[in-house]
Amino acid sequence: MTMGTIIWKEMKERPTALIASLLAIILSVTALVAIRNVTIFSEQEVAGKLDELGANVLILPEGVTLQDYYAADMHKETIPEEHVAELALAGLTGVEAITPKLCVPTKLDDRNVILTGILPQSEIQKMNAWSGGGMLFKKHEGCKAKINVADENLDAPDSLAERRALQHLNQSEVLLGSDFAASKGLKEGDQLQLLGETFEVLSVLPSTGTVDDSRVFAHLHTVQRLSGTGPVVNIIEVMGCCEDVANGLVGELQSLLPGTKVVTIANVVETQVSINRMMTNLSYLFLAILVAVGGASMASASFANVIERRREIGTLMALGATPRFVTQLFLAKAALLGLAGGISGYVLGSLIAVLLGPVFANVSVFPVPSLAIVAATVAVLVTLAASYFPARQASRLDPCLCFKEV
Amino acid sequence: MLKLESVKKVYCKHQDEVVALDTTTIEIARGEFAAIIGPSGSGKTTLLSMLGAMSAPSEGRILLDDVSIYDLPIEQRAEVRQNKIGFVFQTFNLVPYLTAIENVQVPMMLSQKFRTEQQERAEELLGTVGLQDRLHHKPSELSIGQQQRVALARMLANDPLIILADEPTGNLDPETRDQVLAFLRQFNEEGRTIIMVTHDLSAAECARRTLRLSEGRIQAGSDQNLLKTA
């Protein structure tokens, strides 16, 4: 027989009161954990995207609305290709690559395909060299990242998938997205006809899980010639070495290239970031609700419990229970309820997050064990705080109550 | 053993003072069986709660083995109740959600005895009061008489020297009442001091000494005279 036996048996005796006081705690913790869980994975998703894409800046025609970073070049508006030369000659620091792109929809054996024209870096580096070398492709002052400029020896065609830039590409060569190559059974060295011209497959790009997997990449000038668009591009991607560069470049580029829209990756993920911010605020709101509703419910249940058990408390005191024992009896029960509520809320909240995260936030969510500690700690603290005054009231009851009919 | 020195208890209610027990000096020796009789509101329960270290007197001192119990800190007073005093209540006051054996274990748990010791002693005590086959029954599954016997076993758990009984036969049928009184007599013969508050004059006859309380005052006189006037 221990204090735990008394607590456990008393809770089993009055399950309705127990469930009522637990419910508010469980629901609040569930909401808190579910929101926090989705937010964590959503933030990780954004951070992952930022890491994956580097500190990119997109230069788009002014009227284009950016919906998706990977499909940012999928529009019909264009900007002059001469902007690429202006960029190369402008002496921008901390830039690893400049990739202009032009997208043309076409067909191969009745299958729709996007033929994307890109300009290899070797040609841009030549433009820069004409300007005397400039600061392009050089590390900027105070850069925290390692600048990663491709050169003839290091850069393989596959790097287009990873770095979104390519060092060399002949006018008769194409690179194939992995899905496209698989669907057509094409491999390196094969030949194919696009827009009436025969190309040799330089390489099949590794899978990226993006729209690039179903594209065909050719030299920009070839695509311009075959599609008859003239010297224009849909987008210019600028790869900075770090986010500082991207932020610094925006102002410079906007003044350098009027009539264009300059967007950083931070802008691209702004919606997601603002959703994350909103969800973080929501989780604080649910924390406040947990404290207010859960605490009030627990306090009210504890006061009712003390009143209901006055005679029993008086008897325990007559049998030798100290005020400290009585206080501990009620606080231990509260802590137990808080722990049960916190853990149940964590399990339920994690389940909801895992099931609904992909639906509502478009991210894969997994349970976060550290949230169990947070949930249990918060719930226990709330129940302890809510039960403190009822417990103190119980410890101050007159033991002579045991002689009375109450 | 138990000594009341000029003890007075006054309750204040809405600026009115109610004298529950007027200045009283009595001594109860070790091994005595004293009955406190008197009409309702005469101060019997007040006297019992003061003797039980649960309600401090407004004036005077209560000495248990020459120690003034109300000069002790509250935690030590609880220890006195744990180890030296056993209570028997009119309505038994068993914890409703605990079984008979668990109810008997409560005082031992409070005095921090080991679980095995609690278990063995509780079984032994319930056997003593004839409830060895009701160890795991809750109070609601026991008859009134059985409940009072569980309460008696619980009272003996920490082997108290003093037993304070508040109307112990008040709720019992004649047969169970006789059983309970027989147990009290037995406990007294074992050397325990018993102070029993009762309305039941025939129960009071079991005591060796009778104190009559009237309007907060203890009346002196022979036991037979007091019982007659009660």
Side-chain angles (χ1 to χ4, degrees), chain A residues 132-143:
Chain A
M135 291 298 287
L136 193 61
F137 310 120
K138 287 181 183 168
K139 192 177 166 80
H140 70 99
E141 199 177 335
C143 181

Side-chain angles (χ1 to χ4, degrees), chain A residues 24 26 68 70 125 178 182 187 192 220 241 245 279 307 344 347 350-351 371 392 400 404:
Chain A
I26 292 177
D68 176 11
Y70 286 103
Q125 282 163 353
S178 57
K187 58 185 189 301
L192 76 160
L220 174 68
C241 55
V245 164
M279 287 175 75
I307 290 167
S344 311
V347 172
S350 299
L351 201 67
L371 274 181
R392 211 170 64 157
C400 298
K404 295 173 188 165

